[in-house]
Structure formats: C-alpha cells, structure tokens
Amino acid sequence: MSNYKYANSGFNPKLIENVSLVGKYDMPLIKKEEIEGIKEFIPFEKRNLHNEKNVGIHFYIYDGAFKQILDNPQKYMDELKKFNAVISPDFSICYDMPIVRQMYSTYMNRVMGAYYQNNGIKVVPNVRWGDSRSYEFCFEGLEKEGTYAIGSYGQIKRNSNRYYFEKGLEEFFKRLNPQKIYVYGAMPDSIFGNYINETNLISIEPYTSKIYRGDI
C-alpha cells in the first residue's frame, strides 16, 4: 500500500490546479522570477536548523531523503515559505536510466516546483539531463532567459558522466539562454570557462564540503 501511495502522489491532480501545462509532454510550467539576496542554500533535511530569510533550500540529496514531500507537499508549505527561495526537487536522472524514468523525474521536478510557486514560494527551477534522448523533454516547462540551478556534484569526476554533463550543458545554453545559474558543486574552467561571459554563474558549496572543512 505504501508503494502505491508513493507512486500515486506524483499524479495528484490538485498539484497542477491553476498551473499551465506546456510543450509536447504537458510539462507543468515553472515561471521565471527574480531571485535575489540569497546568502546560501541548505539541504531540505537541514531546514529546521536555519530560519534566516536570506537562505534558500535545495534538494541535491538522496531522493529518499525528501520523498515525503510527494506524499504530503502541503505539510511542508509553511516551513518552506520561511526561506528566500526553493530549488525545485532534484529527482535523479542518469544517462543510463530508461528514458521513461528520466521523463518521470523531469515531470516530478516541474510538478513540485510549479505547485510551490503557485502557492507563493519563490522557486529556482532545477535543470537535470541525461543523454541526448532527454533533450526532447528535460528543458520543457521552463521559460527562457531565466534563473536556474544545476548540479555538477557527482557528475564530472568520471569521464563518462562528464561527457554527458558537458553535452547537456551546451544544449542547456542553446535552448534556454540562462541569465543566472546556481551551480551545486565544482565549476572547473575546463567545463564552465566558455560560459563565464554568457551568464552569471553562482557556486553553491555542497553541505558535505562544509562539514569536512569543519564549518558546521
């Protein structure tokens, strides 16, 4: 029964009430908006340790650590409203995943982002891609020339992962022409150097790095 609830919650029609559905696959639209004054982003699971208005929430954590928002997104509404902005949930997408799974992860990202945005929370759309097959849908549900977030953490150490990350990053710029990008993880010049003059790149230091350094 619990597995059914988890699967069914992703298609709760209440989550897309008053939300525009766009593109070939009817992706819920996360509208672009100005996001300013964020000092740092913290993981969703650490939200109760902070309540400063200049802090944002991210979901660059294990999917299971935030699956409860699928079951009851309303429950966390007031908690998330305390923060400056929320990056839409980072449901896993890998180049070797079945394409339907990549599409489902993209859909859930847009559903949750659009739902919270529609309820008064500022949302930074998280953009995640797999291999070239995902380009058909992974940039859908997003307006061009906006502010976005991407994750390089765990994506660029292995040559195979790095290849797909770089190819997708190039496609990301072609399709959306981002004006500001929050990057969770490293931003080596070998990958991001060509884009420095095209957009405003802002680093989000992984929470684990802060722990290892002893800042937390």
Side-chain angles (χ1 to χ4, degrees):
M1 181 63 70
S2 59
N3 288 338
Y4 173 78
K5 182 180 179 183
Y6 175 61
N8 187 54
S9 64
F11 297 96
N12 181 349
K14 292 183 179 180
L15 298 182
I16 55 174
E17 288 181 352
N18 303 314
V19 170
S20 298
L21 303 179
V22 299
K24 179 180 178 180
Y25 298 102
D26 283 343
M27 287 290 178
L29 176 66
I30 302 177
K31 299 176 182 178
K32 67 179 180 181
E33 53 187 335
E34 290 295 323
I35 307 292
E36 301 291 345
I38 298 179
K39 183 179 67 174
E40 65 173 327
F41 281 93
I42 61 170
F44 171 73
E45 58 191 356
K46 304 296 182 182
R47 64 194 181 281
N48 294 325
L49 302 179
H50 299 262
N51 59 7
E52 300 97 310
K53 194 61 180 175
N54 58 356
V55 171
I57 295 290
H58 74 72
F59 291 86
Y60 295 111
I61 52 180
Y62 173 61
D63 290 22
F66 60 87
K67 87 174 190 69
Q68 64 266 40
I69 72 167
L70 296 179
D71 297 334
N72 192 356
Q74 176 65 37
K75 178 180 178 180
Y76 302 95
M77 189 79 70
D78 289 340
E79 291 183 22
L80 294 178
K81 283 184 176 180
K82 296 177 183 177
F83 297 92
N84 190 299
V86 173
I87 295 176
S88 60
D90 184 53
F91 297 101
S92 296
I93 295 179
C94 300
Y95 66 88
D96 54 354
M97 277 183 173
I99 197 64
V100 68
R101 183 63 177 83
Q102 296 184 41
M103 189 179 298
Y104 175 77
S105 290
T106 302
Y107 173 79
M108 289 310 306
N109 170 291
R110 304 297 191 268
V111 165
M112 299 309 300
Y115 172 74
Y116 282 128
Q117 185 180 65
N118 200 41
N119 282 276
I121 296 173
K122 285 186 174 293
V123 174
V124 180
N126 176 60
V127 187
R128 176 75 71 177
W129 51 85
D131 58 18
S132 60
R133 297 174 300 163
S134 70
Y135 300 166
E136 184 175 2
F137 56 82
C138 70
F139 305 111
E140 292 291 304
L142 305 174
E143 295 182 315
K144 295 181 179 180
E145 300 179 351
T147 296
Y148 316 93
I150 62 175
S152 66
Y153 188 76
Q155 300 295 311
I156 60 177
K157 286 188 176 181
R158 293 174 54 188
N159 288 337
S160 57
N161 289 346
R162 177 171 176 149
Y163 171 81
Y164 289 106
F165 182 83
E166 290 186 280
K167 290 295 183 181
L169 187 65
E170 181 179 353
E171 194 70 20
F172 171 40
F173 271 83
K174 287 180 180 178
R175 297 202 182 211
L176 294 180
N177 188 26
Q179 298 302 296
K180 181 190 294 184
I181 307 174
Y182 291 100
V183 181
Y184 182 80
M187 295 192 303
D189 287 342
S190 57
I191 296 177
F192 290 90
N194 292 334
Y195 305 106
I196 291 176
N197 296 325
E198 295 187 35
T199 190
N200 181 13
L201 292 164
I202 303 171
S203 174
I204 303 175
E205 184 179 12
Y207 206 75
T208 52
S209 299
K210 297 179 182 179
I211 293 174
Y212 293 149
R213 198 172 58 246
D215 289 350
I216 297 175

